[in-house]
Amino acid sequence: SDCAALSFGELRGTVKQWVMASPGSNPYAKANLDWALYGFMVPHCLIRLYTEKFIDAVEGVGKMQEQKGTVPVAAAEAFLEWYMEYYYDFVHHHHDIEESNFFPWINAALKEKGLGAIPAKVGTQHEGLVKALNGFKERLGELVEASKAGASGRGKRSEILATLSRDVREFSKELVEHLDEEEANVVPLIRQGLTEGEMMKKEEEIVQSLGLGGAKKALPWIMEGLTHFDPTPTKEYARKFYNNVPGPLRLAMWASWNSSHATQNKGVVEALGSSETPVKGGACC
């Protein structure tokens, strides 16, 4: 069918500027990368990559304020909208899925085989991360209001951006440590208590639970993150994920979802990182 004809190679050809991680900065370059770690790699690659872009965006907007004495209202509003629609939504949703679905499912399999359970501290770390995410939402909302204040809001804007710069970097450090700890502690348990087939079915279940709107946002995004961090020469794990996406959704990715991701998500945060006010393309399909 036409859907099946959309190969991974052709997909990469439709998506411009996918930059690959260098081996020295890639946590998966020397890892025991197998089906068990792959289950975490799928969402974690996206979060790792876009947390760095979030930092860059904060610094880019900070340079706007330093160099021009202002942050355009359109830039501040675009930052808040991107954060809520994409970064906050995905990271929050990811932690919710782990707590309500993925981890209880793993623990049930472990209990059945008498293999213990996921360390409780892995789940409790989510509380502090979610608190930080909510704090960034408040700060970015304040930045919009301070931008609307014009010259009288200059001091407030500088204060907000300095706070964001410090707090987002600290959050990034804690988040990456959390992702590393999840992979170090949970993956060995998955290898003991589950099979590759069971993990693939769970992945399909989670993707289906996103719904069409969630899939539109998440699938091109996941593919960008996987392609960035997949250390294999042929992008074996990115290819595996893509080939597991139902044909109609692969067609939608090729037809419009990839371009929507490029303009509404990637393009916005990277423009902010370059101290530019984003020019968003029209949302399609």
Side-chain angles (χ1 to χ4, degrees):
S1 68
D2 289 342
C3 295
L6 296 173
S7 70
F8 173 71
E10 289 170 328
L11 169 76
R12 291 182 67 188
T14 68
V15 182
K16 309 301 182 185
Q17 299 176 339
W18 275 2
V19 179
M20 310 307 162
S22 64
S25 64
N26 189 344
Y28 304 104
K30 295 183 179 180
N32 180 13
L33 184 48
D34 62 359
W35 61 270
L37 179 53
Y38 165 78
F40 275 101
M41 186 181 174
V42 170
H44 285 186
C45 283
L46 180 165
I47 294 171
R48 291 177 189 275
L49 180 60
Y50 270 72
T51 299
E52 288 300 316
K53 292 185 187 295
F54 183 22
I55 293 172
D56 290 344
V58 171
E59 298 307 312
V61 174
K63 287 179 182 177
M64 285 184 183
Q65 176 63 30
E66 291 173 9
Q67 296 172 1
K68 301 178 180 178
T70 188
V71 174
V73 173
E77 289 180 337
F79 200 173
L80 176 60
E81 182 180 349
W82 170 82
Y83 176 77
M84 293 303 301
E85 183 72 13
Y86 289 96
Y87 189 85
Y88 177 92
D89 182 66
F90 187 90
V91 177
H92 206 304
H93 183 65
H94 168 66
H95 290 154
D96 284 347
I97 287 176
E98 285 186 334
E99 291 179 4
S100 65
N101 184 325
F102 192 49
F103 286 175
W105 174 73
I106 294 171
N107 276 333
L110 294 172
K111 183 178 180 180
E112 184 178 334
K113 297 179 181 179
L115 295 173
I118 295 171
K121 64 177 182 177
V122 172
T124 57
Q125 290 170 346
H126 289 166
E127 296 176 9
L129 296 172
V130 170
K131 183 177 179 180
L133 288 170
N134 289 329
F136 301 146
K137 174 174 63 175
E138 294 176 8
R139 299 293 85 73
L140 290 171
E142 292 170 358
L143 180 62
V144 171
E145 296 307 311
S147 296
K148 291 178 179 178
S152 64
R154 182 169 185 168
K156 183 65 173 176
R157 289 192 298 273
S158 295
E159 177 187 332
I160 292 167
L161 288 164
T163 300
L164 274 173
S165 178
R166 180 195 67 217
D167 291 351
V168 172
R169 287 184 180 279
E170 180 61 28
F171 167 79
S172 171
K173 180 174 178 290
E174 293 177 3
L175 177 59
V176 169
E177 288 176 353
H178 169 69
L179 300 182
D180 290 344
E181 190 168 334
E182 280 189 339
E183 292 171 3
N185 287 312
V186 182
V187 170
L189 295 173
I190 291 174
R191 291 187 182 118
Q192 294 177 55
L194 294 160
T195 67
E196 183 173 4
E198 288 170 333
M199 281 293 288
M200 286 185 66
K201 287 182 180 179
K202 176 56 69 172
E203 176 194 309
E204 291 171 6
E205 174 194 315
I206 290 173
V207 168
Q208 289 173 2
S209 73
L210 295 172
L212 201 59
K216 174 185 175 180
K217 287 198 297 184
L219 293 179
W221 202 2
I222 289 171
M223 282 303 305
E224 182 188 357
L226 277 174
T227 305
H228 182 84
F229 283 109
D230 187 339
T232 63
T234 60
K235 298 298 172 185
E236 170 188 344
Y237 292 94
R239 187 187 303 271
K240 175 181 177 180
F241 179 85
Y242 179 71
N243 289 337
N244 207 33
V245 173
L249 299 189
R250 294 205 305 270
L251 179 59
M253 291 170 69
W254 174 82
S256 64
W257 290 2
N258 289 335
S259 60
S260 177
H261 169 71
T263 55
Q264 309 292 318
N265 184 1
K266 184 175 188 289
V268 169
V269 71
E270 289 185 351
L272 293 167
S274 299
S275 302
E276 300 172 359
T277 299
V279 177
K280 293 173 62 177
C284 174
C285 313

